[in-house]
Amino acid sequence: MRNPNLLIFIFFLTTITFACNREKVNLEGRWEIAQVSGPKADVAKDSVSHLLLHWSVGNKLDFTAGELIANRKGANDSTYYGLASYKVAKDGKTVVIDAGSYKPLKFELRNADDDQVELTYKRQEVKVVLKPYEAPEE
């Protein structure tokens, strides 16, 4: 006869594993930057400083097929330009953003309230909150 305590342990372990894996983040698509918390230290000529030039509240980002393109606030909605390439980990919990001549950055991904997504780069305390982009009604 099987040990019931072992079966209970396996059941709880399986339940916790599935519960933890539900946090997978889908980053594909068009987003608008809702909040940016910048680095605490001076980061001139760093990968983060390069991205923060383009990551301000109101700007739009498009994560599609490994290419990150951006649209600055106030610009025509159809004018997007290439910013970087990206790769989301299979578990959906991190994304590596490579902006060319700068060092690639690994951001942690987390689903937030109201369908928002948080990108966090802990080394320099950078947090960017993205919300789904909704085109203005005409």
Side-chain angles (χ1 to χ4, degrees):
M1 189 162 156
R2 294 187 180 183
N3 185 348
N5 291 333
L6 179 62
L7 292 176
I8 291 171
F9 174 74
I10 291 172
F11 172 75
F12 281 122
L13 184 63
T14 305
T15 304
I16 290 171
T17 302
F18 282 118
C20 292
N21 287 337
R22 289 187 302 161
E23 188 63 28
K24 186 172 184 175
V25 176
N26 182 10
L27 196 59
E28 293 290 314
R30 196 171 276 187
W31 299 89
E32 184 174 342
I33 298 175
Q35 177 187 353
V36 178
S37 303
K40 301 290 183 189
D42 182 28
V43 290
K45 296 184 181 180
D46 193 355
S47 302
V48 171
S49 65
H50 174 70
L51 290 176
L52 287 176
L53 290 174
H54 308 283
W55 288 3
S56 59
V57 175
N59 285 8
K60 294 176 267 316
L61 300 175
D62 190 354
F63 289 88
T64 306
E67 292 297 320
L68 170 59
I69 54 178
N71 175 277
R72 290 191 179 194
K73 179 175 49 178
N76 183 343
D77 279 350
S78 63
T79 308
Y80 279 79
Y81 59 93
L83 178 59
S85 62
Y86 72 93
K87 183 169 176 75
V88 177
K90 288 184 181 181
D91 64 2
K93 295 181 183 180
T94 59
V95 61
V96 175
I97 298 177
D98 186 355
S101 61
Y102 296 91
K103 178 183 175 191
L105 300 173
K106 186 175 186 177
F107 288 86
E108 292 181 14
L109 294 173
R110 188 176 81 79
N111 288 316
D113 299 333
D114 301 327
D115 295 329
Q116 295 181 344
V117 171
E118 289 182 6
L119 285 84
T120 307
Y121 184 62
K122 290 188 176 183
R123 188 173 73 86
Q124 293 182 345
E125 300 180 28
V126 173
K127 181 171 119 181
V128 179
V129 179
L130 305 175
K131 64 181 181 179
Y133 174 68
E134 297 175 12
E137 295 181 21
E138 294 180 33

